[in-house]
């Protein structure tokens, strides 16, 4: 007994932060017991709520911060309240476990993820005539498709499940053999494990209270602002904070609690990169190029023309995005190849992952997790059979939805998809960076060029982008969930079923939410709050694929090449050349590119969020770390949910009573004279 005690002391000393020792005496429920009605009821409510929030972010700027903390907190809060009430009434049959919490988290993220990967702010809406008519080129009926609830739901059901089956056989290799970290999945698991300890439950209760207060504030602030938006360019969102000239160049604080909250969640360097991109483009480049009107391009062109200033805005931002995407793609491929080479050289080698040291043998946590992770295996034949069944259905069905997307385009996409899904899932495990949009853009170029403009190449390319993005995105999401389940002892089967159910919910909820926005607001208009900027960017990538570079305005190609090369050089400086202490201050090209087309107003909002968090950390770092994500999530969720009543009021033709607008003194004098006369 003494030897056994000393052995356990030695093991605990070697692993002082053992999580599973805390839960050792708790029974782990069977996989079917982890899938409860209450879990999916809460997941449906939270999935719908987060779909509204993601859709709003998607249609305004396309920047979507992680909402995992909010999803975990609210899932824990709702079920904990539910079980407490049942316990008091003596009706509680099953306690709330961390495994059930993980099921909720997985289902909610899968559901709300469709609002992003479904392409409502990018490739899917890029097919519409609203976006197509902003450019005079290739906007015929063969290259456009109007949004419709029926075909969008059908399309999502056909393409959204393939990625789930493509990586299921690799779960043991990725999680146990290679020990990939999947940073977001790991962080979510530690969050959930923390909730279910006595100390963690107390902190979670306080965090939910803070989230609720800021949710209420943000919702009421959105309601208050609505009263002043009774006309075009009215309200606090058009407040010329830095003067009217800066406002004309889209530099102003628009009082959006959504983006202040997003700024508190996103890393400082992301927000600084956004601001630098806004200054470089709207502060320097566009005013200079605008002076070339009549020389570089015709002064009589409409603002939306790709042959004028708008062409420089869109294609230079695309060049930065593609340069950054290409660098990260090559970087991940090189790391993948090197890791496999090491694995082949030394059979028991651990793939080098940032922050994780190679270990010989396993500790108590690892042994317990490996045992439970391998207990409920998903048969290989089920995964292969599921993939083939969906391919057999999708190959003839997708050309029915998009006649321009020939069956052999679809078949080629599904043949290469498992390889790309593996690469994306593997790269995500190493870096936490999903390259789903990069693979989607690659599909746009290949299929668009293959089809050609006269055969509907723009539409075919955008549809192929949707197929590829859905596959590789859901594959990496599922592997993140497997990692979360591994660390919380949730069964892989319950994770897979939860992901399937969440995806099915999202295939109905996300198009319905988009339809609400589409009918209630002027989505896609350059002057609207809901500009859907990435829809224009994705469509123009497709145009570039079918038309080539000859369609660009004067000197635009040279500028695009310069910015494409600059994106690669900046990444090399950041990741290879400069020391880590200095590299942390180098901006991110992908983030810099976003304001090139949209403007700097949201970057200012996000920098205000960063400033608030920085000041809070200086005063009380512990409280800032504990409650900062809850405050940010409350600000985002409250403003996002206000969109629902705002859209209902718009559909009911209820207009705000006041228009608050800002004019220059000279214009104001003219208005006064006109009214006086």
């Amino acid at each position: 007994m003494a030897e056994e005690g000393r052995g356990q002391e030695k093991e605990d000393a070697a692993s002082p932060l053992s999580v599973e020792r805390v839960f050792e005496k708790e029974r782990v429920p069977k996989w079917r017991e982890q899938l409860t009605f209450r879990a999916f009821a809460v997941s449906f409510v939270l999935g719908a709520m987060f779909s509204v929030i993601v859709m709003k972010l998607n249609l305004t700027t396309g920047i979507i911060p992680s909402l995992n903390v909010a999803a975990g907190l609210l899932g824990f809060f709702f079920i904990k309240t539910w079980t407490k009430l049942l316990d008091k009434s003596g009706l509680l049959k099953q306690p709330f476990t961390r495994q059930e919490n993980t099921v909720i988290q997985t289902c909610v993220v899968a559901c709300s993820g469709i609002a992003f990967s479904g392409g409502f702010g990018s490739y899917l809406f890029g097919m519409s005539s609203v976006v197509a008519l902003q450019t005079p080129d290739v906007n015929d009926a063969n290259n456009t498709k109007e949004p419709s609830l029926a075909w969008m739901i059908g399309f999502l059901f056909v393409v959204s499940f393939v990625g789930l089956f493509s990586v299921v056989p690799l779960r043991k290799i990725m999680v146990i053999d290679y020990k990939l970290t999947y940073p977001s999945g790991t962080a979510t698991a530690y969050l959930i494990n923390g909730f279910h300890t006595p100390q963690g439950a107390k902190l979670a209760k306080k965090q939910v209270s803070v989230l609720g207060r800021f949710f209420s504030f943000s919702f009421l602030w959105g309601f208050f602002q609505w009263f002043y938006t009774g006309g075009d360019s009215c309200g606090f969102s058009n407040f010329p904070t830095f003067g009217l000239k800066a406002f004309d160049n889209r530099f102003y604080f628009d009082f959006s609690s959504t983006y202040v909250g997003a700024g508190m969640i996103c890393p400082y360097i992301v927000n600084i990169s956004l601001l630098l991109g806004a200054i470089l483009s709207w502060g320097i480049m566009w005013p200079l190029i605008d002076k070339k009107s009549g020389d570089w391009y015709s002064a009589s062109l409409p603002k939306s023309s790709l042959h004028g200033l708008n062409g420089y805005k869109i294609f230079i931002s695309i060049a930065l995005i593609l340069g950054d995407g290409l660098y990260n793609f090559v970087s991940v491929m090189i790391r993948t190849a090197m890791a496999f080479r090491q694995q082949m050289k030394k059979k028991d080698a651990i793939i080098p992952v940032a922050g994780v040291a190679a270990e010989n043998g396993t500790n108590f946590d690892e042994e317990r997790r490996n045992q439970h992770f391998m207990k409920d295996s998903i048969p290989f034949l089920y995964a292969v059979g599921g993939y083939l069944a969906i391919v057999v259905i999708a190959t003839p069905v997708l050309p029915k939805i998009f006649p321009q997307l020939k069956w052999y385009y679809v078949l080629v996409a599904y043949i290469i998809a498992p390889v790309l899904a593996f690469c994306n899932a593997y790269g995500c495990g190493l870096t936490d960076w999903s390259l789903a949009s990069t693979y989607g853009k690659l599909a746009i170029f290949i299929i668009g060029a293959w089809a050609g403009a006269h055969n509907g190449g723009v539409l075919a390319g955008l549809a192929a982008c949707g197929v590829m993005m859905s596959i590789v995105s859901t594959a990496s999401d599922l592997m993140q969930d497997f990692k979360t389940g591994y660390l919380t002892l949730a069964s892989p089967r319950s994770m897979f079923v939860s992901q399937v159910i969440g995806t099915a919910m999202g295939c109905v909820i996300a198009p319905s939410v988009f339809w609400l926005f589409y009918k209630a607001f002027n989505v896609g208009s350059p002057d609207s709050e809901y500009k859907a900027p990435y829809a224009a960017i994705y469509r123009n990538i497709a145009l570039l694929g079918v038309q080539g570079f000859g369609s660009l305005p004067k000197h635009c190609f040279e500028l695009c090449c310069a910015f494409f090369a600059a994106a690669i050089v900046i990444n090399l400086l950041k990741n290879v050349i400069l020391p880590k202490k200095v590299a942390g201050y180098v901006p991110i090209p992908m983030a810099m590119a976003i304001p090139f087309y949209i403007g700097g107003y949201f970057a200012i909002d996000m920098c205000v969020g960063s400033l608030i968090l920085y000041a809070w950390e200086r005063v009380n770092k512990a409280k800032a770390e504990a409650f900062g994500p809850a405050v940010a999530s409350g600000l985002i969720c409250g403003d996002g949910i206000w969109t629902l009543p705002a859209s209902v009021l718009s559909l009911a033709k209820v207009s705000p009573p006041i228009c608050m607008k800002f004019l220059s003194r000279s214009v104001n004098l003219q208005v006064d004279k006109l009214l006086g006369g």
Side-chain angles (χ1 to χ4, degrees):
M1 289 293 289
E3 288 295 325
E4 187 180 327
R6 279 196 294 272
Q8 184 167 324
E9 283 173 16
K10 189 180 289 185
E11 185 179 321
D12 288 344
S15 181
L17 298 176
S18 174
V19 174
E20 294 307 322
R21 289 286 182 201
V22 178
F23 299 102
E24 188 177 5
K25 294 179 181 178
E26 290 185 9
R27 173 183 169 270
V28 178
K30 295 178 180 177
W31 74 273
R32 291 180 189 275
E33 294 173 355
Q34 296 170 22
L35 304 168
T36 63
F37 171 79
R38 68 191 183 195
F40 291 117
V42 168
S43 297
F44 181 84
V45 173
L46 292 179
M49 184 177 91
F50 284 117
S51 292
V52 173
I53 295 162
V54 170
M55 192 66 69
K56 179 178 180 179
L57 294 167
N58 217 1
L59 295 175
T60 48
T61 63
I63 297 174
I64 301 167
S66 173
L67 298 171
N68 283 3
V69 172
L73 269 174
L74 292 172
F76 175 80
F77 172 72
F78 282 134
I79 297 291
K80 203 68 177 175
T81 305
W82 186 330
T83 54
K84 191 176 285 186
L85 291 172
L86 289 177
D87 191 29
K88 286 181 179 178
S89 61
L91 298 173
L92 183 64
K93 294 181 180 178
Q94 184 176 339
F96 181 40
T97 63
R98 57 188 175 135
Q99 290 78 25
E100 189 179 359
N101 205 158
T102 307
V103 165
I104 295 170
Q105 176 85 14
T106 299
C107 193
V108 171
V109 172
C111 178
S112 59
I114 299 294
F116 171 72
S117 64
F120 301 101
S122 55
Y123 64 85
L124 208 67
F125 190 55
M127 302 174 184
S128 69
S129 60
V130 174
V131 177
L133 290 173
Q134 292 175 25
T135 60
D137 304 317
V138 199
N139 55 16
D140 56 282
N142 200 33
N143 282 289
T144 58
K145 189 174 182 67
E146 298 306 320
S148 164
L149 206 53
W151 75 254
M152 288 191 298
I153 291 174
F155 170 73
L156 289 174
F157 267 106
V158 171
V159 302
S160 297
F161 296 91
V162 187
L164 303 181
F165 290 97
S166 63
V167 292
V168 163
L170 303 172
R171 63 185 181 86
K172 178 182 177 293
I173 295 171
M174 300 282 211
V175 176
I176 294 179
D177 295 343
Y178 291 172
K179 301 182 189 296
L180 298 178
T181 51
Y182 290 98
S184 291
T186 300
T188 302
Y190 283 119
L191 183 78
I192 291 170
N193 283 334
F195 287 161
H196 291 267
T197 61
Q199 297 84 359
K202 287 179 183 177
L203 178 60
K205 190 176 179 181
K206 292 177 182 177
Q207 288 171 327
V208 169
S209 175
V210 169
L211 189 151
R213 288 202 297 272
F214 280 89
F215 176 97
S216 302
F217 165 76
S218 183
F219 184 89
L220 292 172
W221 174 240
F223 180 46
F224 175 75
Q225 287 188 84
W226 175 82
F227 282 97
Y228 297 89
T229 56
D232 293 334
S233 303
C234 296
F236 286 90
S237 60
N238 291 282
F239 193 100
T241 325
F242 308 112
L244 289 169
K245 187 66 178 175
F247 180 81
D248 289 339
N249 284 293
R250 301 192 185 181
F251 274 95
Y252 56 95
F253 177 66
D254 75 344
F255 294 89
S256 169
S257 53
T258 293
Y259 286 104
V260 172
M264 293 179 71
I265 291 176
C266 290
Y268 293 132
I269 191 60
V270 170
N271 299 329
I272 295 299
S273 300
L274 290 168
L275 187 60
L276 285 173
I279 293 168
L280 177 62
S281 55
W282 289 88
I284 300 171
M285 288 177 59
W286 305 157
L288 289 175
I289 294 175
D290 190 40
K291 290 179 181 178
K292 299 291 182 181
S293 175
D295 179 14
W296 285 14
Y297 57 91
S298 173
S300 61
L301 288 171
K303 285 186 177 181
S304 61
S305 175
L306 283 182
H307 299 291
L309 180 59
N310 202 43
Y312 296 94
K313 292 177 185 177
I314 290 177
F315 287 114
I316 291 174
S317 66
I318 288 172
L320 262 179
I321 290 168
L322 292 178
D324 189 81
L326 178 67
Y327 172 86
N328 282 288
F329 176 78
V330 173
S331 174
V332 169
M333 291 301 102
I334 290 172
R335 289 185 68 181
T336 302
M338 289 173 66
F340 269 108
R341 188 180 176 188
Q342 182 181 348
Q343 192 75 9
M344 294 296 291
K345 277 186 174 180
K346 189 177 180 183
K347 191 177 178 181
D348 60 344
I350 302 300
I351 287 187
V353 181
V356 178
E359 295 177 356
N360 295 319
T362 57
N363 56 29
F364 175 78
D365 283 8
E366 215 170 310
E367 284 177 7
R368 193 165 191 234
R369 288 165 178 167
N370 290 352
Q371 178 190 350
H372 283 276
F373 193 70
M374 295 307 300
K375 190 170 70 172
D376 295 324
S377 62
I378 301 168
F380 177 78
L381 289 176
Y382 280 26
V384 174
Y387 188 86
L388 292 175
I390 294 174
V391 171
V392 168
I393 294 167
T395 303
V397 169
L398 285 174
K400 295 288 183 185
I401 301 172
F402 305 106
Q404 300 86 346
L405 189 67
K406 305 301 181 186
W407 67 267
Y408 42 88
Y409 300 160
V410 179
L411 193 59
V412 167
Y414 281 131
I415 289 171
I416 63 173
V419 177
L420 298 181
F422 166 76
C423 293
N424 194 49
Y426 188 94
C428 197
L430 287 170
T431 64
D432 209 30
W433 189 280
S434 175
L435 297 175
S437 60
T438 304
Y439 292 115
K441 294 182 188 91
L442 189 65
I444 291 177
F445 276 116
I446 294 171
I447 301 299
W450 188 358
H454 298 296
N455 297 314
V458 171
L459 201 66
L462 291 170
C465 171
V467 173
M468 196 59 68
M469 266 187 74
S470 296
I471 293 169
V472 298
S473 177
T474 51
S476 62
D477 288 348
L478 178 63
M479 206 54 71
Q480 290 270 19
D481 292 333
F482 277 149
K483 182 68 177 185
T484 304
Y486 172 77
L487 295 171
T488 59
L489 302 193
S491 166
R493 287 189 187 180
S494 66
M495 291 289 91
F496 183 77
V497 172
S498 179
Q499 182 89 15
V500 168
I501 292 173
T503 302
M505 288 180 184
C507 289
V508 177
I509 291 172
S512 302
V513 171
F514 170 76
W515 198 247
L516 183 66
F517 276 82
Y518 185 64
K519 290 295 183 182
F521 306 110
N522 190 19
V523 177
S525 168
D527 300 320
S528 167
E529 179 187 356
Y530 300 99
K531 298 177 179 67
Y534 273 97
I537 287 173
Y538 272 69
R539 185 171 184 88
N540 283 292
I541 289 173
L543 281 171
L544 201 60
V546 299
Q547 288 185 326
F549 298 107
S551 60
L552 299 178
K554 192 176 181 181
H555 299 304
C556 187
F557 178 69
E558 291 88 341
L559 286 169
C560 286
C561 290
F563 276 88
F564 182 88
I568 295 172
V569 170
I570 290 169
N571 272 300
L572 285 170
L573 287 170
K574 187 176 183 69
N575 299 306
V576 179
I577 299 170
L578 295 175
K580 285 186 178 180
K581 286 184 179 179
V582 180
Y585 297 98
V586 176
I588 301 167
M590 185 77 77
M592 290 178 69
I594 298 168
F596 272 49
Y597 179 60
I598 305 169
Y601 60 93
F602 75 96
I604 292 167
D605 293 351
M606 293 180 72
C607 284
V608 168
S610 279
L611 188 62
I612 291 168
L613 185 65
Y614 177 76
W616 193 359
E617 285 178 340
R618 298 285 290 181
V619 173
N620 192 327
K621 190 171 183 179
K623 274 199 171 181
E625 288 177 353
F627 296 104
V631 170
S633 300
L635 290 172
I636 294 169
C637 294
D639 193 38
I641 294 302
W642 162 248
T643 308
L644 281 177
S647 59
V648 171
L649 290 169
S650 177
L651 290 170
K653 307 297 181 186
V654 177
S655 299
I658 305 167
C659 173
M660 183 172 73
K661 187 175 280 192
F662 299 89
L663 307 171
S664 66
R665 185 170 55 188
S666 58
V667 172
N668 188 56
L669 287 171
Q670 291 174 13
V671 171
D672 286 344
K673 283 180 183 178
L674 183 66
L675 292 174

